[in-house]
Amino acid sequence: MTQNSSSVPAPGESAAAPAPAKLRLANVTKTFENAGQNVEALKPINLEIREGEYVVLFGPSGCGKSTLLNLIAGFEEPTSGEITLEGRRVTRPGHDRLMMFQEHALFPWLKVIDNVVYGLGWRPGYRFRPRLRRQKARELLKLMHLEEFARSPIHELSGGMKQRAALARALAPDPKVLLIDEPFPALDALVRARLYSELQDILVRTRKTIVSVTHDPREAACLGDRVIVFTGRPGSIKTEIKVDLPRPRDINDPQVAGYAGKIAALLEEGQRETIPGEKV
Amino acid sequence: MKPSPEKKFRLYVFGFYLLLFVIWQALFSLRIIPDYLFPSPLQVGWRLWELGNDGMLWPSIKATLARMAIGFSIAAGIGLVIGMPMGMSRVVNSCLKSLFLGLQTLPSAAWVPISLLIFGLSDSGIYFVVIMSSVAAVAIATSDGILHIPPIYLRAARTLGTPGYAMPFRVILPAALPRIVTGVKLGWTLGWHGAVSAELIKSSIGLGYLLYMGRELNDAAQVLGIMVLTILFGLLLDRFLFGQIEHRIRRRWGLLTPA
């Protein structure tokens, strides 16, 4: 599947499902120009993500995993290589590859429901049908247990409620791929655990294709079908781990913890490799 | 959060103004300055009462407020229209920013002579002064507001599929609103200066006109009374109209931490 997996064979690779690749990254690299110097952020990345798959990009901070997410979202263009979604080349941001940010990024000038409605306004099927938009938004708010707060201003919601509203907003235009940049970092452990289970619940119901980024091995093991482990700067795929556990998974489940340990060990290995390299 | 400390402050504020009046009255009683030049607070209050009974006061207040309402609405509109491209294009911004900063340093009253030349003694000259006094503040605040929009809102808007033509009014303007409102508040104050300054010279009604008439008639009580009234209305609108709007917007945008 990935060219980089030559050194470490990915477990469960042979049992790959025959489903066609939805999102394909072919030899994607990214080099930033910083004060006249070229800084390589990503070495060639090859990755295929299938329909309905939850893929977690996992690695140390600064390994380029967030950059890769930005490339998929279309906020930035790859220096070389190509990203295609269902065979069509990604060139700019759009709701077919909708991104959820670390902060909720809800619009404070809109009420909760209007935030959810917002993204639907640009969808062909919903464009001139405000009632259909509201109906869809209400369904999603119900799914997120936010229906009583539909008409509330954003600042009246708690942190967890804001993230759920952001998730509802992200799901509303029915993106082909949902991109999540460090889901729910600013929340306390209890709220996060609940959001993880809700996210998986939605996952099971909607069969959404999701790519998320994290540096928390537990989160990676809890959410991902596949965890792509990155090495440090410049980022490249070190290996991938298939998490073969039934859903919904509990973040405190010992099996999840077992996978998390495995993933964390891989990360440490990678760091030991990069530290001497950085001194050069 | 208990209301008691705020109430206590209110008491202090009340006490402070009481003290101010007592000092004023005491200065008057000492007769350092002759009383026809420096009236007592009671005389001032009485003169205002008389003016009110003569039917002079209320129409004047209304006239000045109406001029402000119309003139400032136009100014705010122009300021927004100029400020938006300033905020969205670096080129436009670098061209216009120094010009508007310069205009902002010009005292409002400095617009009166040119307005007399262009418009004569007509009312449109007052609108001209109001608009010229306040438009720069609104334009600068709008462009600054746009330049300081948290990038996350723009990124969210783009990933949600907002087409380029919809960005200015659906995202950029609302996201910049907190700073725009602050600029509108400042613009209103500057416009208020302009309105009263212009009325001093070229009007037959309005607060500025009453000030001017007070001087013509050597009526220090009227002059001081209208000054106090002008301050009062300026403060009321600033604090309770624009201040409230600003506070509510800042709270909604999560820019206030609820104490």
Side-chain angles (χ1 to χ4, degrees):
Chain A
M1 197 89 332
T2 58
Q3 288 183 354
N4 302 52
S5 57
S6 51
S7 57
V8 186
E13 192 63 20
S14 52
K22 192 172 184 78
L23 187 70
R24 189 187 304 253
L25 285 76
N27 286 313
V28 171
T29 68
K30 182 71 191 177
T31 305
F32 290 104
E33 203 176 302
N34 196 359
Q37 263 191 314
N38 283 338
V39 181
E40 195 182 15
L42 286 173
K43 281 185 179 169
I45 301 288
N46 287 287
L47 189 62
E48 287 189 351
I49 292 160
R50 288 179 296 272
E51 172 94 53
E53 206 177 17
Y54 193 135
V55 172
V56 176
L57 310 179
F58 171 82
S61 51
C63 73
K65 56 193 193 299
S66 289
T67 305
L68 192 60
L69 207 66
N70 276 330
L71 293 176
I72 299 172
F75 287 122
E76 286 168 53
E77 279 200 58
T79 308
S80 69
E82 197 180 47
I83 300 171
T84 50
L85 176 67
E86 290 178 349
R88 289 176 62 183
R89 193 176 174 157
V90 167
T91 53
R92 58 193 166 116
H95 49 54
D96 52 346
R97 291 155 284 113
L98 214 150
M99 178 125 142
M100 261 185 87
F101 305 94
Q102 293 186 21
E103 300 142 83
H104 58 79
L106 294 163
F107 298 144
W109 56 93
L110 299 175
K111 292 191 171 80
V112 171
I113 187 158
D114 295 321
N115 263 284
V116 181
V117 163
Y118 180 89
L120 285 168
W122 323 113
R123 287 269 308 181
Y126 291 91
R127 191 98 211 241
F128 301 105
R129 300 163 84 175
R131 278 182 62 200
L132 200 64
R133 292 205 290 262
R134 298 227 133 218
Q135 192 190 328
K136 169 103 179 176
R138 279 194 190 286
E139 277 168 26
L140 279 162
L141 286 177
K142 204 168 175 184
L143 193 71
M144 298 292 161
H145 311 292
L146 282 171
E147 65 259 65
E148 332 77 290
F149 298 96
R151 305 202 53 77
S152 301
I154 300 303
H155 74 274
E156 285 178 7
L157 303 186
S158 71
M161 281 153 73
K162 281 177 191 156
Q163 282 298 353
R164 294 206 314 265
L167 188 54
R169 180 177 73 167
L171 289 171
D174 200 19
K176 288 171 181 157
V177 182
L178 183 61
L179 308 168
I180 311 181
D181 188 6
E182 302 245 0
F184 334 124
L187 303 172
D188 61 72
L190 274 172
V191 179
R192 279 178 76 167
R194 206 181 132 195
L195 277 166
Y196 288 148
S197 70
E198 275 176 359
L199 192 57
Q200 292 181 68
D201 191 35
I202 288 149
L203 207 66
V204 171
R205 281 198 220 189
T206 59
R207 299 277 304 144
K208 224 54 334 143
T209 312
I210 303 182
V211 183
S212 80
V213 154
T214 185
H215 55 243
D216 178 356
R218 278 226 180 193
E219 184 179 297
C222 177
L223 296 176
D225 293 320
R226 259 198 302 156
V227 179
I228 314 291
V229 181
F230 276 69
T231 60
R233 200 174 306 193
S236 62
I237 295 174
K238 183 185 173 68
T239 183
E240 61 171 75
I241 288 181
K242 203 160 193 153
V243 183
D244 245 333
L245 295 173
R247 289 184 192 273
R249 303 169 190 155
D250 186 339
I251 186 104
N252 295 315
D253 183 277
Q255 276 181 299
V256 169
Y259 272 102
K262 229 162 92 182
I263 295 163
L266 278 165
L267 176 65
E268 271 168 33
E269 230 175 88
Q271 272 174 336
R272 247 182 273 127
E273 278 169 22
T274 52
I275 288 163
E278 276 179 338
K279 278 181 187 163
V280 177
Chain B
M1 205 175 78
K2 286 159 210 130
S4 58
E6 243 180 54
K7 264 192 186 159
K8 216 164 107 190
F9 282 137
R10 238 174 247 173
L11 214 66
Y12 279 123
V13 170
F14 182 73
F16 166 73
Y17 280 107
L18 205 66
L19 188 70
L20 221 57
F21 275 104
V22 168
I23 292 171
W24 182 357
Q25 181 69 42
L27 281 175
F28 171 77
S29 303
L30 288 172
R31 295 281 199 282
I32 303 166
I33 311 167
D35 62 352
Y36 61 87
L37 290 182
F38 188 73
S40 77
L42 282 176
Q43 284 172 319
V44 168
W46 179 245
R47 185 74 191 105
L48 282 179
W49 176 254
E50 275 179 348
L51 279 172
N53 277 345
D54 292 349
M56 296 281 280
L57 204 53
W58 188 233
S60 280
I61 293 170
K62 272 204 297 201
T64 304
L65 285 176
R67 283 165 179 156
M68 273 305 287
I70 296 168
F72 185 67
S73 304
I74 297 169
I78 297 173
L80 278 176
V81 167
I82 300 174
M84 276 177 72
M86 270 173 80
M88 288 186 279
S89 151
R90 297 235 161 237
V91 178
V92 179
N93 193 43
S94 41
C95 290
L96 289 180
K97 182 130 190 204
S98 54
L99 173 68
F100 280 119
L101 281 175
L103 286 179
Q104 219 177 3
T105 63
L106 195 67
S108 301
W111 286 105
V112 176
I114 189 72
S115 115
L116 276 170
L117 286 175
I118 299 173
F119 297 97
L121 286 172
S122 72
D123 235 26
S124 32
I126 296 174
Y127 294 120
F128 174 76
V129 175
V130 170
I131 292 168
M132 293 316 280
S133 310
S134 51
V135 85
V138 178
I140 289 174
T142 304
S143 67
D144 274 358
I146 291 171
L147 289 169
H148 285 92
I149 292 173
I152 189 95
Y153 291 141
L154 302 177
R155 281 161 61 87
R158 286 170 68 204
T159 198
L160 283 162
T162 314
Y165 68 83
M167 285 295 277
F169 291 100
R170 293 295 302 273
V171 182
I172 291 173
L173 210 52
L177 206 55
R179 271 175 195 255
I180 293 176
V181 172
T182 307
V184 164
K185 212 173 120 193
L186 176 65
W188 172 274
T189 305
L190 295 173
W192 185 247
H193 296 176
V196 176
S197 307
E199 283 173 352
L200 278 176
I201 294 167
K202 50 190 295 175
S203 180
S204 50
I205 193 166
L207 286 170
Y209 167 73
L210 288 181
L211 271 180
Y212 171 76
M213 281 313 289
R215 193 204 70 89
E216 286 280 281
L217 302 169
N218 267 333
D219 191 343
Q222 176 169 337
V223 171
L224 277 174
I226 299 298
M227 280 172 70
V228 170
L229 217 61
T230 308
I231 293 170
L232 213 64
F233 269 90
L235 198 65
L236 275 175
L237 286 162
D238 188 77
R239 264 312 218 3
F240 294 103
L241 182 66
F242 293 104
Q244 282 301 313
I245 295 172
E246 189 184 26
H247 180 83
R248 290 184 65 167
I249 286 178
R250 291 186 71 80
R251 197 182 57 192
R252 250 195 109 140
W253 263 242
L255 297 169
L256 291 180
T257 36

